[in-house]
Amino acid sequence: MNKFHSYRSLTIVQPWRRHQLFAVAFKSREDHRKQIELEEARKAGLAPAELDEDGKEINPHIPQYMSSAPWYLNSEKPSLKHQRNWKSDPNYTKSWYDRGAKIFQAEKYRKGACQNCGAMTHTAKACMDRPRKIGAKYTNKNIAPDEKIESFELDYDGKRDRWNGYDPSTYHRVVDLYEAKEDARKKYLKEQQIKKLEEKNNNQEGDDAATSDGDEEDDDELRVDEAKVDESRQMDFAKVEKRVRTTGGGSTGTVRNLRIREDTAKYLLNLVINSAHYDPKTRSMREDPLPDADPNDKFYLGDNQYRNSGQALEFKQMNIHSWEAFDKGQDMHMQAAPSQAELLYKNFKVAKDKLKTQTKDTIMEKYGNASTEDEIPMELLLGQSERQVEYDVAGRIIKGQEVILPKSKYEEDVLANNHTSVWGSWWKDHQWGYRCCQQTIRNSYCTGSAGIEAAEASLDLMKANIARKEACEESPKKVEEKRMAAWGSDVPEDLELNEEALANALKKEDERKREEKDERKRKYNVKYTNDVTPEEMEAYRMKRVHHEDPMKDFL
């Protein structure tokens, strides 16, 4: 009965699944062969790909166990929806920070706000505004609005998306900039051509031979200009047509590779792990990858080499000048008005040179010019010094160039309280101090060389006192211990104590100490007597705690 019941339970088929089982089970051999041929044709690209419920093509190379949906989904058509993530977390978002959004504008300073600008959303240390001479905490003016603080929970792709938060509408500025440059270049070339044609027409009345030679030269120059105009169109030397049309989508495009294939990539010049750092995102390597190699054999010296050569140094100086001028109250900005900044920088250099010349002339008029009177020694003429700088054949510095340390935004070399050196320039006995006066107390007044001499004299006096004390302790005098009587006087030699009374006095002293430790054992009726016997005094002296005794904790 059990076997028959189990057999029936295995052969029972649910009614709504019967048409699927029959369709699979009763497929003929011919239908099966046609199905296999169709799959092979789809894989070879001879037959169109199968479409899903949404009308999208299904890759024929996907295995059947991945493309076939489970039976409980009741899918009538082939689909890949069962392979997608159904249970997406609703907390994940693809939104980004609202840049520059403000939430509240206060009219007066609030407690706990930024001391520099007055906003509540950050502190003075993290403030991105210009440091004010007097902060908003004290002026109570120009309170900055509070920023909008947001926090997002990004998914796996959102955390690794480098373009998250990018506004594509801002790219039109780049396009407009390049178009303006191209229009300006074409306009300039056209003006040059017109100018040369006018000169050609003005010179037609001259000699015919000379005119014919000039015509040939002008025609050559015009051809060169036309070649410059069409230079961008002739740069398709590495143009490659590539078809990227696939079943998953895509389009036909043109791939251009403008990099010379013989050039070695920056990150392959030195394969040592601790060599110059290469940033793959910006494709920059600031330091020299091969600092020990011969400069004549190197074609790449690092990005810092380009920044410290040519017109880059002049551009840096111009930037620094604009920053300093803006800090001093002059209305100029390098990015907003570059032409104005360049003109002001040129005027500044002219005024600076003029001031140097005027100062030099004033000094020479007052003190005279020794170079015109006596001959200058050869050491000064040759400019010899202790500094050694090595150059190569091309005149580039190989060794000896000093590395310029960038200054931080914090104040440096601030001398206070008449000090001639900064705090931390002196180190002695694990303490920092000032080198000018060798004091280890910060913000103290400088005492100069007199303070150093006084400190040395006090140190010598202290060492002498220590040596004198050690010499006295080497031969200590023996002090005889005096036995004191009951009331503090010396114990007479003929004093005799009763041993039985001494034993009773010791017991009473033990009981008194126990009562002091535990108040529950203290009696209500306290008997007090002013008569102290020599035995009781001896017992007290024997039982008292000697604080100078090193073994008192073991009693």
Side-chain angles (χ1 to χ4, degrees):
M1 186 64 183
N2 293 335
K3 292 181 180 181
F4 180 73
H5 179 70
S6 62
Y7 176 74
R8 288 193 63 184
S9 64
L10 290 173
T11 54
I12 290 175
V13 180
Q14 298 178 0
W16 55 276
R17 282 279 293 163
R18 288 176 182 172
H19 65 282
Q20 295 184 5
L21 294 178
F22 293 155
V24 176
F26 292 97
K27 184 182 289 188
S28 63
R29 183 177 299 174
E30 186 69 18
D31 295 340
H32 186 66
R33 185 179 60 80
K34 289 181 180 180
Q35 182 69 21
I36 294 176
E37 290 178 356
L38 180 60
E39 291 178 359
E40 295 294 335
R42 286 174 177 170
K43 291 180 180 179
L46 303 176
E50 191 177 8
L51 302 178
D52 59 359
E53 295 177 354
D54 300 333
K56 297 180 180 179
E57 296 180 352
I58 299 177
N59 193 338
H61 297 281
I62 296 178
Q64 185 180 5
Y65 72 90
M66 294 177 62
S67 60
S68 60
W71 58 269
Y72 51 81
L73 294 180
N74 297 330
S75 60
E76 298 178 357
K77 294 183 179 181
S79 176
L80 293 176
K81 285 186 176 181
H82 59 279
Q83 294 291 346
R84 300 191 181 104
N85 186 13
W86 295 350
K87 300 178 180 180
S88 60
D89 195 343
N91 296 328
Y92 290 152
T93 178
K94 291 187 178 181
S95 58
W96 199 242
Y97 299 99
D98 190 2
R99 299 181 185 273
K102 311 296 181 182
I103 55 176
F104 179 72
Q105 174 68 51
E107 297 181 355
K108 61 181 182 178
Y109 182 78
R110 295 157 293 176
K111 185 178 180 181
C114 175
Q115 297 182 5
N116 184 40
C117 66
M120 288 289 293
T121 51
H122 61 267
T123 59
K125 189 174 184 180
C127 184
M128 300 299 293
D129 289 356
R130 176 182 62 85
R132 303 182 184 181
K133 186 175 182 180
I134 302 176
K137 179 179 179 182
Y138 305 102
T139 60
N140 211 10
K141 295 179 182 179
N142 299 328
I143 305 297
D146 299 342
E147 297 92 350
K148 185 178 180 181
I149 305 299
E150 299 177 282
S151 60
F152 301 111
E153 187 175 356
L154 302 176
D155 54 357
Y156 182 85
D157 295 331
K159 292 177 181 178
R160 291 157 180 81
D161 187 7
R162 60 185 293 184
W163 295 102
N164 193 2
Y166 175 72
D167 188 7
S169 61
T170 59
Y171 189 72
H172 71 86
R173 301 175 185 173
V174 182
V175 177
D176 296 342
L177 178 62
Y178 278 92
E179 289 179 354
K181 288 182 179 179
E182 187 67 19
D183 295 341
R185 189 176 67 88
K186 290 181 179 179
K187 184 178 179 181
Y188 174 74
L189 293 176
K190 189 174 181 180
E191 291 177 355
Q192 293 294 326
Q193 292 177 1
I194 294 173
K195 186 177 180 180
K196 291 177 181 179
L197 290 174
E198 291 178 353
E199 293 177 356
K200 177 182 176 182
N201 295 330
N202 294 331
N203 296 330
Q204 284 181 357
E205 298 176 357
D207 191 11
D208 297 336
T211 306
S212 61
D213 296 338
D215 293 342
E216 292 178 358
E217 293 177 358
D218 293 338
D219 293 338
D220 294 338
E221 291 178 358
L222 291 175
R223 291 194 198 97
V224 173
D225 292 339
E226 292 175 356
K228 290 181 180 179
V229 174
D230 297 335
E231 184 180 359
S232 60
R233 301 178 182 176
Q234 297 175 2
M235 290 296 291
D236 298 335
F237 59 88
K239 186 175 181 181
V240 180
E241 296 290 341
K242 193 172 183 181
R243 303 284 296 182
V244 292
R245 182 73 178 176
T246 59
T247 57
S251 61
T252 304
T254 302
V255 179
R256 289 184 181 181
N257 189 0
L258 302 179
R259 187 172 69 84
I260 301 175
R261 305 304 299 177
E262 288 78 7
D263 290 347
T264 306
K266 300 176 184 178
Y267 50 85
L268 296 179
L269 295 175
N270 193 349
L271 300 179
V272 181
I273 298 177
N274 297 327
S275 62
H277 174 68
Y278 175 75
D279 185 13
K281 185 174 181 180
T282 58
R283 299 180 182 179
S284 61
M285 182 181 287
R286 298 183 178 181
E287 299 179 1
D288 189 359
L290 300 172
D292 300 331
D294 188 5
N296 298 321
D297 300 336
K298 292 190 294 185
F299 65 95
Y300 180 72
L301 302 175
D303 295 342
N304 287 339
Q305 180 66 21
Y306 301 120
R307 295 179 181 179
N308 297 328
S309 60
Q311 296 180 350
L313 291 176
E314 186 178 357
F315 184 73
K316 284 183 181 178
Q317 295 295 332
M318 193 186 306
N319 270 324
I320 295 171
H321 173 260
S322 63
W323 295 340
E324 293 178 351
F326 182 78
D327 291 339
K328 293 178 180 178
Q330 192 168 356
D331 188 11
M332 63 178 298
H333 196 276
M334 186 64 193
Q335 281 72 30
S339 301
Q340 178 190 8
E342 186 175 2
L343 181 60
L344 291 175
Y345 180 61
K346 289 182 179 178
N347 296 337
F348 169 74
K349 288 197 297 183
V350 171
K352 186 178 180 180
D353 295 340
K354 185 177 180 181
L355 181 62
K356 282 185 178 179
T357 307
Q358 185 178 359
T359 306
K360 182 178 179 182
D361 296 340
T362 305
I363 294 174
M364 286 184 177
E365 289 177 0
K366 186 175 183 180
Y367 299 102
N369 190 0
S371 61
T372 59
E373 297 175 358
D374 300 331
E375 295 183 358
I376 302 176
M378 293 300 296
E379 290 81 3
L380 297 178
L381 288 175
L382 298 176
Q384 295 180 356
S385 63
E386 296 294 333
R387 180 183 174 189
Q388 180 181 0
V389 182
E390 297 182 8
Y391 299 86
D392 59 355
V393 180
R396 292 172 294 188
I397 297 177
I398 302 175
K399 187 184 299 182
Q401 185 178 11
E402 296 182 358
V403 180
I404 302 175
L405 298 176
K407 288 189 176 181
S408 63
K409 69 175 183 178
Y410 302 101
E411 295 182 347
E412 296 182 0
D413 300 334
V414 178
L415 305 176
N417 295 336
N418 202 27
H419 286 284
T420 58
S421 60
V422 296
W423 169 260
S425 58
W426 173 258
W427 170 263
K428 185 177 182 181
D429 298 335
H430 303 281
Q431 287 183 343
W432 294 104
Y434 298 97
R435 185 178 59 185
C436 54
C437 58
Q438 298 182 5
Q439 292 193 67
T440 57
I441 301 175
R442 193 168 187 178
N443 296 329
S444 61
Y445 193 80
C446 183
T447 56
S449 58
I452 298 175
E453 295 176 358
E456 292 177 354
S458 63
L459 183 62
D460 296 340
L461 182 61
M462 183 179 65
K463 290 181 179 179
N465 293 336
I466 293 173
R468 191 184 302 108
K469 184 178 179 182
E470 290 178 354
C472 294
E473 290 179 353
E474 289 179 357
S475 57
K477 296 180 179 180
K478 294 183 179 180
V479 180
E480 297 180 358
E481 184 179 359
K482 297 182 179 180
R483 296 183 61 189
M484 305 300 293
W487 295 273
S489 59
D490 296 338
V491 179
E493 297 179 358
D494 56 349
L495 179 63
E496 294 181 1
L497 300 176
N498 189 358
E499 295 182 358
E500 185 176 355
L502 181 60
N504 295 333
L506 290 173
K507 290 180 181 180
K508 289 181 180 181
E509 186 67 21
D510 293 336
E511 291 177 359
R512 188 181 64 82
K513 286 184 177 293
R514 282 196 296 269
E515 289 178 359
E516 289 180 355
K517 293 180 180 179
D518 191 0
E519 294 183 355
R520 293 175 298 177
K521 296 182 179 181
R522 188 177 61 184
K523 298 179 181 180
Y524 292 100
N525 299 326
V526 180
K527 295 180 180 180
Y528 175 76
T529 177
N530 197 18
D531 299 333
V532 179
T533 61
E535 289 80 5
E536 291 177 352
M537 192 63 194
E538 183 67 18
Y540 169 75
R541 192 168 45 206
M542 293 171 65
K543 291 292 184 179
R544 70 172 181 176
V545 177
H546 298 274
H547 294 282
E548 65 277 4
D549 189 3
M551 300 296 291
K552 64 182 179 57
D553 296 332
F554 299 95
L555 296 176

